[in-house]
Amino acid sequence: MFKHLLVPVDGSDVSKKSLKKVAQLAIADKAAVTLVYVSDPMPPMVYSDSTMGYGITQKDHQKVCAAYAQDVFKKAATALGANVKAKSLQVSNSNLSAGILDAAKKVKADVIVMASHKRTGIKGLLLGSETHEVIVHSTLPVLVLG
């Protein structure tokens, strides 16, 4: 059915649990898999105490993000199993859903497979849902794993 799955990963337990289902789908469809991690391009302000803060340089921020992404990719590849060979892509974008959609275009995926964090009530209202944003703005099918 699908030939190229784009799978956003963030290192969360929800993301890890969905990878077994992704592996089953990839094997059944003989589909390529690309894992994507979206990092914020802007370094955060880090405070050492309440009165004094120091900034992280852009270069250091990029290094930390790249190292974290590699760790997430390594763990995700392990969760996918030996039968699924996945490519990986790190994207810098301050808007997570836009970063995922940009990655899907870049790798020419034909479906985006996402885990849902299932935020409901006030949390869902205040925090929003990145999955919902991807669904609303995607021109590709979006498969949501619960």
Side-chain angles (χ1 to χ4, degrees):
M1 180 180 226
F2 298 113
K3 299 299 173 205
H4 193 162
L5 314 176
L6 180 83
V7 184
V9 291
D10 61 4
S12 68
D13 287 339
V14 172
S15 176
K16 288 176 199 170
K17 287 178 185 176
S18 70
L19 290 170
K20 289 184 178 153
K21 293 177 186 175
V22 169
Q24 292 170 348
L25 181 62
I27 291 167
D29 287 351
K30 297 182 178 104
V33 175
T34 299
L35 303 170
V36 63
Y37 176 76
V38 180
S39 59
D40 195 325
M42 296 303 297
M45 180 60 86
V46 177
Y47 293 96
S48 59
D49 64 28
S50 62
T51 60
M52 187 171 130
Y54 61 92
I56 297 174
T57 67
Q58 186 72 27
K59 187 175 180 181
D60 287 342
H61 176 67
Q62 289 171 347
K63 284 181 187 177
V64 169
C65 289
Y68 183 76
Q70 289 307 311
D71 184 55
V72 169
F73 293 144
K74 183 178 177 183
K75 290 176 182 174
T78 300
L80 284 171
N83 294 329
V84 178
K85 301 296 179 211
K87 293 182 180 179
S88 59
L89 174 65
Q90 180 192 356
V91 175
S92 290
N93 195 314
S94 58
N95 182 312
L96 182 60
S97 58
I100 292 168
L101 295 170
D102 290 346
K105 286 178 190 171
K106 184 173 186 173
V107 301
K108 297 181 172 121
D110 60 353
V111 64
I112 300 170
V113 184
M114 296 183 70
S116 175
H117 286 81
K118 296 182 183 176
R119 291 187 181 111
T120 59
I122 297 297
K123 281 186 179 180
L125 183 63
L126 295 177
L127 297 175
S129 167
E130 294 302 331
T131 304
H132 180 260
E133 286 294 312
V134 171
I135 291 168
V136 168
H137 297 289
S138 180
T139 57
L140 298 174
V142 180
L143 177 60
V144 180
L145 303 174

